[in-house]
CSV table of all heavy atoms in Angstrom, one decimal:
chain,number,residue,atom,x,y,z
A,318,ILE,N,64.9,111.2,68.8
A,318,ILE,CA,64.7,112.6,68.7
A,318,ILE,C,63.4,112.9,68.0
A,318,ILE,O,62.6,113.8,68.5
A,318,ILE,CB,65.9,113.3,68.1
A,318,ILE,CG1,67.2,113.2,68.9
A,318,ILE,CG2,65.6,114.8,67.8
A,318,ILE,CD1,68.4,113.7,68.3
A,319,PHE,N,63.2,112.3,66.9
A,319,PHE,CA,62.1,112.6,66.0
A,319,PHE,C,60.9,111.7,66.1
A,319,PHE,O,60.0,111.7,65.3
A,319,PHE,CB,62.5,112.6,64.5
A,319,PHE,CG,63.5,113.7,64.2
A,319,PHE,CD1,64.9,113.5,64.3
A,319,PHE,CD2,63.1,115.0,63.9
A,319,PHE,CE1,65.8,114.5,64.0
A,319,PHE,CE2,64.0,116.0,63.6
A,319,PHE,CZ,65.3,115.8,63.6
A,320,ARG,N,60.9,110.9,67.2
A,320,ARG,CA,59.8,110.0,67.4
A,320,ARG,C,58.4,110.7,67.6
A,320,ARG,O,57.4,110.3,67.1
A,320,ARG,CB,60.0,109.1,68.7
A,320,ARG,CG,59.0,108.1,69.0
A,320,ARG,CD,59.3,107.3,70.2
A,320,ARG,NE,60.6,106.7,70.1
A,320,ARG,CZ,60.8,105.5,69.5
A,320,ARG,NH1,59.8,104.8,69.0
A,320,ARG,NH2,62.1,104.9,69.5
A,321,LEU,N,58.4,111.9,68.3
A,321,LEU,CA,57.2,112.7,68.6
A,321,LEU,C,57.1,113.9,67.6
A,321,LEU,O,56.3,114.8,68.0
A,321,LEU,CB,57.2,113.1,70.1
A,321,LEU,CG,57.2,112.0,71.1
A,321,LEU,CD1,57.3,112.5,72.5
A,321,LEU,CD2,56.1,111.0,70.9
A,322,SER,N,57.8,113.9,66.6
A,322,SER,CA,57.7,115.0,65.7
A,322,SER,C,56.4,115.1,65.0
A,322,SER,O,55.8,114.1,64.5
A,322,SER,CB,58.9,114.9,64.6
A,322,SER,OG,58.7,116.0,63.7
A,323,ASP,N,55.9,116.4,64.9
A,323,ASP,CA,54.7,116.6,64.2
A,323,ASP,C,54.9,117.1,62.8
A,323,ASP,O,54.0,117.2,62.0
A,323,ASP,CB,53.8,117.7,64.9
A,323,ASP,CG,53.3,117.2,66.3
A,323,ASP,OD1,53.2,116.0,66.5
A,323,ASP,OD2,53.2,118.0,67.2
A,324,ASN,N,56.1,117.4,62.5
A,324,ASN,CA,56.5,117.9,61.2
A,324,ASN,C,56.7,116.8,60.2
A,324,ASN,O,57.1,115.7,60.5
A,324,ASN,CB,57.8,118.7,61.3
A,324,ASN,CG,58.3,119.4,60.0
A,324,ASN,OD1,59.0,118.7,59.3
A,324,ASN,ND2,57.8,120.5,59.7
A,325,THR,N,56.3,117.1,58.9
A,325,THR,CA,56.4,116.0,57.9
A,325,THR,C,57.8,115.4,57.7
A,325,THR,O,57.9,114.2,57.7
A,325,THR,CB,55.8,116.6,56.6
A,325,THR,OG1,54.5,117.1,56.7
A,325,THR,CG2,55.8,115.5,55.5
A,326,ARG,N,58.7,116.3,57.5
A,326,ARG,CA,60.1,115.7,57.3
A,326,ARG,C,60.6,115.1,58.6
A,326,ARG,O,61.4,114.2,58.5
A,326,ARG,CB,61.0,116.8,56.8
A,326,ARG,CG,61.3,118.0,57.8
A,326,ARG,CD,62.3,119.0,57.2
A,326,ARG,NE,62.7,120.0,58.1
A,326,ARG,CZ,63.6,121.0,57.9
A,326,ARG,NH1,64.2,121.0,56.7
A,326,ARG,NH2,63.9,121.9,58.7
A,327,GLY,N,60.2,115.6,59.8
A,327,GLY,CA,60.6,114.9,61.0
A,327,GLY,C,60.1,113.5,61.1
A,327,GLY,O,60.8,112.6,61.4
A,328,ARG,N,58.8,113.3,60.8
A,328,ARG,CA,58.2,112.0,60.7
A,328,ARG,C,58.9,111.1,59.7
A,328,ARG,O,59.1,109.9,59.9
A,328,ARG,CB,56.7,112.1,60.4
A,328,ARG,CG,55.9,112.8,61.5
A,328,ARG,CD,56.0,112.1,62.8
A,328,ARG,NE,55.4,110.8,62.8
A,328,ARG,CZ,55.5,109.9,63.8
A,328,ARG,NH1,56.1,110.3,64.9
A,328,ARG,NH2,55.0,108.7,63.8
A,329,GLN,N,59.1,111.7,58.5
A,329,GLN,CA,59.8,110.9,57.5
A,329,GLN,C,61.2,110.4,57.9
A,329,GLN,O,61.6,109.3,57.7
A,329,GLN,CB,59.9,111.7,56.2
A,329,GLN,CG,58.5,111.9,55.5
A,329,GLN,CD,58.7,112.8,54.3
A,329,GLN,OE1,59.7,113.4,54.0
A,329,GLN,NE2,57.6,112.9,53.5
A,330,LEU,N,61.9,111.3,58.6
A,330,LEU,CA,63.3,111.0,59.1
A,330,LEU,C,63.2,109.9,60.1
A,330,LEU,O,64.0,109.0,60.2
A,330,LEU,CB,64.0,112.2,59.7
A,330,LEU,CG,65.4,112.0,60.2
A,330,LEU,CD1,66.3,111.4,59.1
A,330,LEU,CD2,66.0,113.3,60.7
A,331,PHE,N,62.2,109.9,61.0
A,331,PHE,CA,62.0,108.9,62.0
A,331,PHE,C,61.7,107.5,61.3
A,331,PHE,O,62.3,106.5,61.7
A,331,PHE,CB,60.8,109.3,62.9
A,331,PHE,CG,60.3,108.1,63.7
A,331,PHE,CD1,61.0,107.7,64.8
A,331,PHE,CD2,59.0,107.5,63.5
A,331,PHE,CE1,60.6,106.6,65.6
A,331,PHE,CE2,58.6,106.5,64.2
A,331,PHE,CZ,59.4,106.0,65.3
A,332,TRP,N,60.8,107.5,60.4
A,332,TRP,CA,60.5,106.3,59.7
A,332,TRP,C,61.7,105.7,58.9
A,332,TRP,O,62.0,104.5,58.9
A,332,TRP,CB,59.3,106.5,58.7
A,332,TRP,CG,58.1,106.8,59.3
A,332,TRP,CD1,57.6,106.3,60.6
A,332,TRP,CD2,57.0,107.6,58.9
A,332,TRP,NE1,56.4,106.8,60.9
A,332,TRP,CE2,55.9,107.6,59.8
A,332,TRP,CE3,56.8,108.4,57.7
A,332,TRP,CZ2,54.8,108.3,59.6
A,332,TRP,CZ3,55.6,109.0,57.5
A,332,TRP,CH2,54.6,109.0,58.5
A,333,LYS,N,62.5,106.6,58.3
A,333,LYS,CA,63.6,106.2,57.5
A,333,LYS,C,64.7,105.6,58.5
A,333,LYS,O,65.4,104.7,58.1
A,333,LYS,CB,64.2,107.3,56.7
A,333,LYS,CG,65.2,106.9,55.7
A,333,LYS,CD,64.5,106.1,54.6
A,333,LYS,CE,65.4,105.8,53.4
A,333,LYS,NZ,64.7,105.0,52.4
A,334,SER,N,64.8,106.2,59.6
A,334,SER,CA,65.8,105.7,60.6
A,334,SER,C,65.5,104.3,61.1
A,334,SER,O,66.3,103.5,61.2
A,334,SER,CB,65.9,106.7,61.8
A,334,SER,OG,66.3,108.0,61.5
A,335,GLU,N,64.2,104.1,61.4
A,335,GLU,CA,63.8,102.8,61.8
A,335,GLU,C,64.0,101.7,60.7
A,335,GLU,O,64.4,100.6,61.0
A,335,GLU,CB,62.3,102.8,62.2
A,335,GLU,CG,62.0,103.6,63.4
A,335,GLU,CD,62.5,103.0,64.7
A,335,GLU,OE1,62.5,101.8,64.8
A,335,GLU,OE2,62.9,103.7,65.6
A,336,GLU,N,63.7,102.2,59.5
A,336,GLU,CA,63.9,101.2,58.3
A,336,GLU,C,65.3,100.9,58.2
A,336,GLU,O,65.7,99.7,57.9
A,336,GLU,CB,63.3,101.9,57.1
A,336,GLU,CG,63.5,101.1,55.8
A,336,GLU,CD,63.1,101.9,54.6
A,336,GLU,OE1,62.4,102.9,54.7
A,336,GLU,OE2,63.4,101.4,53.4
A,337,LEU,N,66.2,101.9,58.2
A,337,LEU,CA,67.6,101.6,58.0
A,337,LEU,C,68.2,100.7,59.2
A,337,LEU,O,69.1,99.9,59.0
A,337,LEU,CB,68.4,102.9,57.9
A,337,LEU,CG,68.3,103.6,56.6
A,337,LEU,CD1,69.0,104.9,56.6
A,337,LEU,CD2,68.8,102.7,55.4
A,338,ILE,N,67.7,100.9,60.4
A,338,ILE,CA,68.2,100.1,61.5
A,338,ILE,C,67.9,98.6,61.3
A,338,ILE,O,68.7,97.7,61.5
A,338,ILE,CB,67.5,100.6,62.9
A,338,ILE,CG1,68.1,102.0,63.3
A,338,ILE,CG2,67.8,99.6,64.0
A,338,ILE,CD1,67.4,102.6,64.4
Side-chain angles (χ1 to χ4, degrees):
I318 294 174
F319 292 94
R320 184 181 301 273
L321 300 178
S322 176
D323 296 332
N324 183 266
T325 303
R326 65 176 183 178
R328 296 299 298 173
Q329 290 178 351
L330 181 57
F331 166 72
W332 293 329
K333 196 65 176 180
S334 299
E335 293 291 326
E336 178 186 348
L337 286 177
I338 291 174

